[in-house]
Structures are given as structure tokens and as C-alpha cells.
Amino acid sequence: MRKPRCKELKSRPRSWTYYVHRATFKFESTDEDKRKKLCEGIFKVLVKDVPTTCQVSCLEVLRILSRDKKILVPVTTKENMQILLRLAKLNESDDSLEKVSEFPVIVESLKCLCNIVFNSQMAQQLSLELNLAAKLCNLLRKCKDRKFINDIKCFDLRLLFLLSLLHTDIRSQLRYELQGLPLLTQILESAFSIKWTDEYESAIDHNGPPLSPQETDCAIEALKALFNVTVDSWKVHKESDSHQFRVMAAVLRHCLLIVGPTEDKTEELHSNAVNLLSNVPVSCLDVLICPLTHEESAQEATTLDELPSDKTAEKETVLKNNTMVYNGMNMEAIHVLLNFMEKRIDKGSSYREGLTPVLSLLTECSRAHRNIRKFLKDQVLPPLRDVTNRPEVGSTVRNKLVRLMTHVDLGVKQIAAEFLFVLCKERVDSLLKYTGYGNAAGLLAARGLLAGGRGDNWYSEDEDTDTEEYKNAKPKEELLKPMGLKPDGTITPLEEALNQYSVLEETSSDTD
């Protein structure tokens, strides 16, 4: 097959070369040799000084061909990788991004690199040798304050995500040597156009426009790359680390309070924010809530005055600007996480991937931060008034979580039970009050608490008041007791059965 010439590629209509094959991901094995030769010919054109339109056409074809793993073996060489790095402006000698006409070439080159690195182990090794991660970070620094090159940032971040996913060494390099945490956090700040009002607080415009599709995609790629960079960062060793994680958590709080161009994109954005928050040391998650400003405090007082006296005692209100407030703290972000969790429950599928991250996050937040726990307790386990239906029957968040306590997936039911247990301050009597003994039996058995008591963690001794409805129904609960088998095989209350087994063991010991 003769070499493709630039004039031929340039004159050939894009609708024929690109649009016909842009959705092609499977290739016929009979044409494999032809595709290899076409790839080789494209690189021979790209190495020359040819017009931009010709470069773009060649790169578009190469991007489609690079989806085929088999043809990449002979064409994935150091020389060819360097050609793509040069076209993507990833060489250290390239100081700026001033020529707008070159942007399509940069974007297409980055797309090709994404495909080649993902599909070729040789390319992955060459990426380490060519120090590709450092070059990508350098390009990001040129892009971070530029508003009109989101496509470049997006595919730069996607390639950075792939590299950090495929190489654990690159995660460490990004985290420490390349200062990836502050760099990627700044990319998020730029995508969200954040304006800081305090060290860890940003201005939220509830009436502002949604993120554009380009800003949303860029933010999602940055969140995914940050997840890889911080995946092993549960422990904070230095004060500077703590500050960086708090800044990132504040940016993620802002992320939770804004929306994307569509509902699906908003959910994808928030899902990646939840995943990343799971990597933040729990001690740094206090920035998810913040004290009210003077104006908000005054507005809260006005709103509380307008509430009936019996509602004021619940210490929860919604301001006129839809800000969720509890105990003088802004709980908007936690409320968004709670709603996100309920939506994932309502989906009814993929609980392990979609639900457990947000449930784990809310559990750890509740265990470490008293105000968050009390707010979530107020929302999830409000004063018990319906005492006629079983805990798993109904459509409240409590009912949905109690149903998960007996889910077939062990991981799902464990984290659901753990979340409710923490909201109850790990007190068995409080958990049974809201969930019933049968639903809680699995958790209690695993913790050795079937006979009652409480967990190992310490919680404040704030009062957990009972409603009149529960007080009236509480004596009837004695009709339901944990049961066990006596040595003779008959059923008896669990405590009595355990005592009989203890006596039997002592008798056997004396006989020996």
C-alpha cells in the first residue's frame, strides 16, 4: 500500500474519512496489515512541517485506528510518541499557548495519546521513560487561568487520570514531586469560578447559571485525577497537608452546591465529588459545614420566630434562600449528600458501586463531627411517631435504610446498619427503637451486642427524647424478646439460655 499523501488527506472530505468511522470500535482482522501501514504512513506525514488542517485530518484518522490494540504494537515507538508530544505542546521548550489555530492539533494529539496509552503496554512504559506526567502538569499550568481552552485541559486531565490509574508510581510522583494536589485543586477552582469569602468558604450563587458542558467535563476529569492522587491519603502527617485537604474539601463543598447542564451530568459531577471526599482525612471534613454569616443568622432568627412553638424545638429550619440550617450551622452540603444517598437507594441497583461510597462518607462524618451527626439524626431518625407499622415499611429515609439492613449484599447491609448505629450513638436500645430487633440482629451479632449495651466509640450525652406515641407503645415492646435454645432444645429468652449454658460448662469443668 502506497503512503498516504498530505494533499490526498486534505482534499478528501472529512465526512468520508471521519464521520463514517468515528463510531467504529471493532475492526476486521483481514484489514489489519492495511491499518498498520496506514498508521505508519500517518506518522511519516506528521513528522513533517505540514498545514494545520492536514495535521488535524491525520490525527483524527489515527485516533480511530488507535482503538485497535493489535496495530499499535509496531507503531508505538519512542519516536512516534515524541511526535505526538510535540504536536500536543508537551515539550518543555514550548513556553506558551498563544496560537489559537494550533488548539485543534493539540486536542487531537491528546486524544490520540489517551487511546494509545490506554491500549498499549509499550506506550505505558514509554510514558514513564518520557516523564509524561510532568509534561502534562506543565501544560496544565499554562492552561489553568485560560477560559477558552477547556478541551485542552479536559484531555490533558483525562490522560493524567489514565497514567495515575495504570501506574502507582505516578500517583506518588503527582502527589509529592509535581504538587498535583494543589494544581488539580486550582483547576477545579477555575472550572467553578470560585470566589473565596473566607479561608475555607466560597460564595454560592443559588440563582446563578449552571456549569457549561465543557466546564462540567473538565471538572469531572479533574475530580477523577485527584481521586487517584489522594487514594492513600487517609492519614495527615503535616500541617501543610491538612490545609491542602481542607481547601480541596471546601472546593468539593462548592461542587455539591452547584449544578451541571443536565440532571445526569449533575449526578455524575456529584458522584465523583463523593468519591473524592471519601479520600479526604475525616478530620478535614469539618469544612463541609460552616457557621452562618451575620445576615444569615438574623434571617434564621426571623424564620424561627415565624414557626409554631412546637416546631422551634427541633432546631432545624430552611431559610428563605433555601439554605439548610441546623444549630446555627450551614448544612447545605450535608443535605445534598443525604438527598444524593436517597436517590441512589431509589435506583434499586448497583448499590455497592453507587450507594456504599456516600453511605460510608456520611457514616465517617457522623462519627467524627457532632453537628453533622445530630443534623443527620434529625433528618433520618426524627422523633418516632408512627409506632403502628414495622420499621422497614414506608417511604421515609429511615424505612429505606432499614430495608437495606437485610439486603442480600453483605457490604451494603453492613454499611447501612453501621450508619444508623452511629446516628444512634452506637447505643443498642436506641438502634432497636428505630429499626427493630430482627433488622438489627446481624449488626449486633457481629459486634457481640445481642444482649444490649453500646459500641466502642464515645459520643456526647445529648438527650434523645421520646414522643408521647412511643412512650405509650414502649411497654408493649416486651412482647418481642430475643430468644435462644436451651440445652434440652426448647426455646427460652436469650439471657436465660446463655445462663443455662454457663452453668452447664461449669458443671462439666468440675466433673473433669
Side-chain angles (χ1 to χ4, degrees):
M1 182 179 180
R2 62 189 178 88
K3 300 176 185 177
R5 294 180 180 175
C6 184
K7 289 182 180 179
E8 293 175 351
L9 288 170
K10 184 177 178 181
S11 62
R12 185 175 292 171
R14 188 183 183 191
S15 58
W16 190 89
T17 58
Y18 176 70
Y19 289 113
V20 170
H21 299 288
R22 63 178 178 174
T24 301
F25 289 88
K26 294 182 178 180
F27 302 88
E28 295 292 335
S29 58
T30 54
D31 295 330
E32 187 176 315
D33 288 338
K34 293 180 180 179
R35 292 195 299 276
K36 289 178 182 178
K37 291 179 180 179
L38 180 56
C39 276
E40 292 169 354
I42 287 174
F43 277 109
K44 290 178 180 179
V45 173
L46 291 175
V47 77
K48 300 175 181 178
D49 186 16
V50 295
T52 299
T53 53
C54 181
Q55 291 176 328
V56 172
S57 295
C58 287
L59 290 166
E60 286 173 344
V61 175
L62 180 62
R63 172 158 58 90
I64 295 171
L65 293 172
S66 62
R67 297 167 183 167
D68 183 2
K69 295 182 180 181
K70 294 180 180 178
I71 69 162
L72 291 178
V73 176
V75 298
T76 305
T77 65
K78 186 175 182 179
E79 292 74 18
N80 288 343
M81 287 286 286
Q82 287 175 325
I83 291 172
L84 292 176
L85 297 185
R86 175 178 59 81
L87 293 173
K89 297 295 181 183
L90 289 171
N91 289 337
E92 296 177 2
S93 58
D94 296 323
D95 296 326
S96 62
L97 297 172
E98 298 298 333
K99 295 182 180 179
V100 178
S101 61
E102 294 178 343
F103 288 0
V105 176
I106 299 174
V107 172
E108 286 299 326
S109 300
L110 289 170
K111 289 179 180 179
C112 289
L113 284 167
C114 286
N115 281 356
I116 292 171
V117 168
F118 181 72
N119 287 318
S120 169
Q121 290 186 349
M122 178 60 71
Q124 293 165 20
Q125 293 300 319
L126 287 171
S127 298
L128 291 173
E129 184 180 339
L130 294 168
N131 201 11
L132 182 53
K135 297 178 186 297
L136 290 168
C137 287
N138 187 44
L139 181 60
L140 277 179
R141 290 186 176 92
K142 300 174 189 176
C143 295
K144 67 179 182 180
D145 297 321
R146 305 284 293 278
K147 287 291 184 182
F148 303 106
I149 49 179
N150 278 323
D151 283 344
I152 295 177
K153 284 193 286 189
C154 184
F155 289 102
D156 183 305
L157 289 164
R158 183 171 299 178
L159 186 51
L160 204 57
F161 163 72
L162 287 173
L163 288 174
S164 56
L165 177 69
L166 296 167
H167 288 290
T168 55
D169 291 343
I170 288 182
R171 296 178 199 168
S172 179
Q173 182 190 16
L174 282 169
R175 176 75 176 86
Y176 299 105
E177 179 187 336
L178 300 175
Q179 295 298 301
L181 181 55
L183 173 62
L184 294 171
T185 302
Q186 288 168 9
I187 294 294
L188 283 177
E189 288 183 49
S190 176
F192 299 147
S193 301
I194 289 181
K195 296 179 180 178
W196 296 104
T197 58
D198 204 342
E199 187 176 20
Y200 304 121
E201 294 180 34
S202 61
I204 304 293
D205 183 2
H206 293 283
N207 299 316
L211 290 177
S212 69
Q214 294 81 9
E215 290 168 337
T216 306
D217 289 340
C218 186
I220 289 172
E221 295 299 334
L223 290 168
K224 289 158 61 177
L226 267 170
F227 179 86
N228 288 345
V229 173
T230 60
V231 71
D232 299 317
S233 300
W234 273 95
K235 295 182 179 179
V236 177
H237 300 289
K238 298 185 296 185
E239 189 62 30
S240 59
D241 290 338
S242 178
H243 170 70
Q244 288 179 359
F245 277 110
R246 277 193 160 84
V247 171
M248 187 177 75
V251 172
L252 294 176
R253 177 183 182 274
H254 188 101
C255 176
L256 292 172
L257 301 180
I258 57 180
V259 296
T262 65
E263 186 175 346
D264 287 344
K265 275 296 181 182
T266 299
E267 183 172 355
E268 185 181 0
L269 182 69
H270 289 177
S271 178
N272 280 283
V274 167
N275 291 340
L276 182 52
L277 279 168
S278 301
N279 288 351
V280 176
V282 70
S283 60
C284 300
L285 292 175
D286 54 346
V287 300
L288 290 178
I289 61 176
C290 56
L292 300 183
T293 63
H294 293 300
E295 295 79 6
E296 289 173 333
S297 297
Q299 194 173 8
E300 180 194 19
T302 302
T303 308
L304 285 171
D305 289 340
E306 295 172 355
L307 288 174
S309 58
D310 61 330
K311 295 291 184 182
T312 305
E314 295 181 9
K315 298 183 180 180
E316 184 273 319
T317 183
V318 180
L319 299 184
K320 295 176 183 178
N321 63 356
N322 294 325
T323 300
M324 185 63 70
V325 175
Y326 185 88
N327 252 7
M329 302 295 288
N330 186 321
M331 294 287 179
E332 282 182 288
I334 304 300
H335 194 247
V336 170
L337 289 172
L338 186 60
N339 288 338
F340 180 86
M341 178 200 74
E342 188 171 8
K343 287 180 181 177
R344 288 296 171 93
I345 294 176
D346 292 342
K347 279 190 172 182
S349 61
S350 302
Y351 281 159
R352 182 173 286 272
E353 298 81 12
L355 177 62
T356 54
V358 66
L359 261 178
S360 299
L361 175 63
L362 290 174
T363 301
E364 293 306 317
C365 284
S366 299
R367 184 177 279 125
H369 301 289
R370 178 173 177 264
N371 275 320
I372 294 178
R373 175 182 57 78
K374 293 187 70 176
F375 170 74
L376 288 172
K377 169 76 181 301
D378 186 76
Q379 297 291 308
V380 177
L381 302 175
L384 195 59
R385 302 187 188 281
D386 180 8
V387 293
T388 58
N389 292 314
R390 295 193 303 273
E392 67 271 20
V393 176
S395 58
T396 67
V397 182
R398 174 177 75 102
N399 302 142
K400 295 172 183 179
L401 285 167
V402 171
R403 286 197 288 271
L404 288 179
M405 294 175 75
T406 54
H407 194 271
V408 294
D409 189 304
L410 181 62
V412 172
K413 72 177 184 180
Q414 283 179 338
I415 190 59
E418 184 76 9
F419 177 50
L420 293 174
F421 195 42
V422 170
L423 293 188
C424 294
K425 298 185 291 187
E426 300 190 19
R427 288 173 45 188
V428 173
D429 57 343
S430 181
L431 181 68
L432 297 182
K433 168 182 169 181
Y434 289 103
T435 69
Y437 189 86
N439 295 313
L443 173 80
L444 300 181
R447 287 174 167 257
L449 294 173
L450 283 171
R454 64 186 305 167
D456 299 328
N457 293 289
W458 180 89
Y459 297 87
S460 61
E461 295 297 332
D462 42 85
E463 186 179 1
D464 185 14
T465 57
D466 292 335
T467 62
E468 288 300 321
E469 293 89 342
Y470 181 74
K471 289 178 181 178
N472 293 332
K474 188 173 182 180
K476 302 176 184 178
E477 290 186 340
E478 293 301 318
L479 296 175
L480 179 64
K481 292 183 178 180
M483 307 295 286
L485 287 175
K486 294 194 296 185
D488 61 2
T490 58
I491 297 177
T492 190
L494 180 62
E495 186 175 357
E496 182 179 339
L498 293 173
N499 289 335
Q500 291 198 15
Y501 276 108
S502 297
V503 172
L504 186 62
E505 288 178 2
E506 291 176 1
T507 304
S508 300
S509 177
D510 293 340
T511 302
D512 292 340

